[in-house]
Amino acid sequence: DALEQSRRDELTARHQWFARLALSYGKPESDPDRRAFAAEATRAMSTILILFFVLLVAGIAGFALFIVAAIGIGTGRIRSAFSTPSRGTGLQPVSSAFPTSSSPPLSASNAFLESFVLFLLSFLVASGVALVVQTLTGIDITIALFCIVPVLALWPLSRGLSWDQLRAGLGWHTGRGFFTELGCGVVGYLAGVPIIVLGLVISMLIVALTGSDASHPIVNEVSSGGVLAIILLFFMTAVWAPLVEEAFFRGALYSHLRRRWAVIPAALLVGLIFAIIHPQGFAGVPVLAALGFNFCLLREWRGSLIAPMFAHAMHNGVATVALVMFLA
């Protein structure tokens, strides 16, 4: 009570919830300020308990499904539906669920890799342009520019691939049925939980040993943004990222690498690159690489991108909702 209002504001700006806790010390439960931050604490704790329960159930189911998947792969009951390379430059599907047309010309042999490289370059350019525009005008056009980037997925068409070959290479088809692929996305994600947990443990060890920060910058946006900012954030994490990142990482890049490498090395490299481009720093690389690796295995298993896209959307959506409930 001895602090001036300006000093109280400074304290609150710096320490936020904890400052409000200190400033309300000794006040009755009926005090409006105390009730407000107490409600936030209750909501945060409820979110933690719900998330813990969800993760516990997912973990138990995941380890069980991981064992089932390992047995299924070992016995041959689980097979790849991914389009594998032919002796030419075309794509030959393992199953007949989505046949491709004839092989593309030799000039198109690196078309999917070129598409991925253009995606990375355009992403960097769009980020730079958006930063300059926001600095000069105060207008944030980041999302508008990012929505243009997916057009580059069509680049292989300009290199001689047919529409059917593009769809086969990127996994833009419904596989064994849209809803079947959605279900496989959930099951496949859960089966990959042990891999993700291993990556998470390694990331936590790096944080503990180095003191580095592996949090995502969106944490600040959630804690300081309004309703519109949260809506846009959810769109970017649970809609844009699953659709676009899967098209280029598990679509274009993985398709290119699988024409040359076996499943594991191709999936490991895609997962590593996927992790490195994220802003969480080197401490976040193991868990993000494990996540990207799991998405690659989903693409390999199903052939279609629907399963990894839905798994990606489910992961980001749950994480974003939990973050909003905890911080907003």
Side-chain angles (χ1 to χ4, degrees):
D1 291 337
L3 291 177
E4 297 178 358
Q5 186 60 42
S6 60
R7 296 290 290 168
R8 296 167 69 90
D9 292 341
E10 290 177 12
L11 191 67
T12 302
R14 181 171 183 177
H15 298 289
Q16 300 184 24
W17 185 89
F18 297 99
R20 294 163 60 195
L21 173 64
L23 291 171
S24 67
Y25 177 75
K27 293 184 178 181
E29 296 292 338
S30 59
D31 181 80
D33 293 335
R34 187 177 180 86
R35 292 178 63 183
F37 84 80
E40 293 178 11
T42 302
R43 183 179 63 184
M45 183 55 66
S46 299
T47 301
I48 291 174
L49 292 175
I50 293 172
L51 186 60
F52 174 78
F53 178 76
V54 171
L55 292 177
L56 179 62
V57 173
I60 295 173
F63 277 91
L65 288 171
F66 179 82
I67 295 173
V68 172
I71 294 174
I73 293 172
T75 58
R77 296 183 63 182
I78 296 179
R79 299 181 180 181
S80 171
F82 182 78
S83 296
T84 55
S86 66
R87 292 185 179 181
T89 58
L91 296 169
Q92 291 291 333
V94 174
S95 66
S96 60
F98 187 76
T100 62
S101 57
S102 60
S103 299
L106 288 173
S107 60
S109 61
N110 294 319
F112 290 114
L113 178 62
E114 294 169 3
S115 178
F116 177 77
V117 172
L118 288 173
F119 161 71
L120 290 184
L121 293 176
S122 64
F123 191 83
L124 293 174
V125 171
S127 299
V129 171
L131 180 61
V132 171
V133 172
Q134 187 172 15
T135 302
L136 296 176
T137 65
I139 302 174
D140 188 357
I141 61 171
T142 304
I143 295 179
L145 292 178
F146 282 178
C147 287
I148 301 175
V149 171
V151 175
L152 293 171
L154 302 177
W155 171 259
L157 294 177
S158 68
R159 301 288 283 150
L161 269 71
S162 68
W163 176 246
D164 283 349
Q165 289 164 343
L166 175 69
R167 291 178 62 202
L170 294 181
W172 283 357
H173 55 86
T174 56
R176 294 182 177 275
F178 181 79
F179 292 104
T180 297
E181 299 302 330
L182 288 183
C184 289
V186 176
V187 173
Y189 176 84
L190 292 176
V193 164
I195 299 173
I196 300 171
V197 169
L198 176 62
L200 179 61
V201 170
I202 296 174
S203 288
M204 292 173 66
L205 287 175
I206 294 175
V207 171
L209 293 174
T210 65
S212 57
D213 183 10
S215 63
H216 198 288
I218 66 171
V219 172
N220 296 327
E221 296 181 23
V222 172
S223 59
S224 61
V227 175
L228 179 58
I230 292 175
I231 292 175
L232 292 176
L233 175 63
F234 191 84
F235 168 77
M236 292 299 294
T237 59
V239 179
W240 186 91
L243 292 177
V244 178
E245 290 180 357
E246 291 308 308
F248 286 99
F249 281 95
R250 264 60 65 178
L253 181 59
Y254 186 70
S255 179
H256 174 82
L257 292 176
R258 275 292 281 123
R259 297 178 65 194
R260 294 155 175 80
W261 298 357
V263 176
I264 299 301
L268 283 174
L269 182 57
V270 173
L272 182 62
I273 297 175
F274 174 74
I276 291 174
I277 71 161
H278 282 75
Q280 282 93 324
F282 72 94
V285 167
V287 64
L288 289 170
L291 196 63
F293 178 80
N294 189 30
F295 294 156
C296 286
L297 296 185
L298 278 174
R299 172 77 204 279
E300 181 72 29
W301 176 37
R302 305 309 305 167
S304 168
L305 265 192
I306 294 176
M309 279 182 175
F310 188 68
H312 196 159
M314 181 176 62
H315 175 90
N316 285 7
V318 171
T320 303
V321 170
L323 192 63
V324 169
M325 292 294 294
F326 190 72
L327 295 177

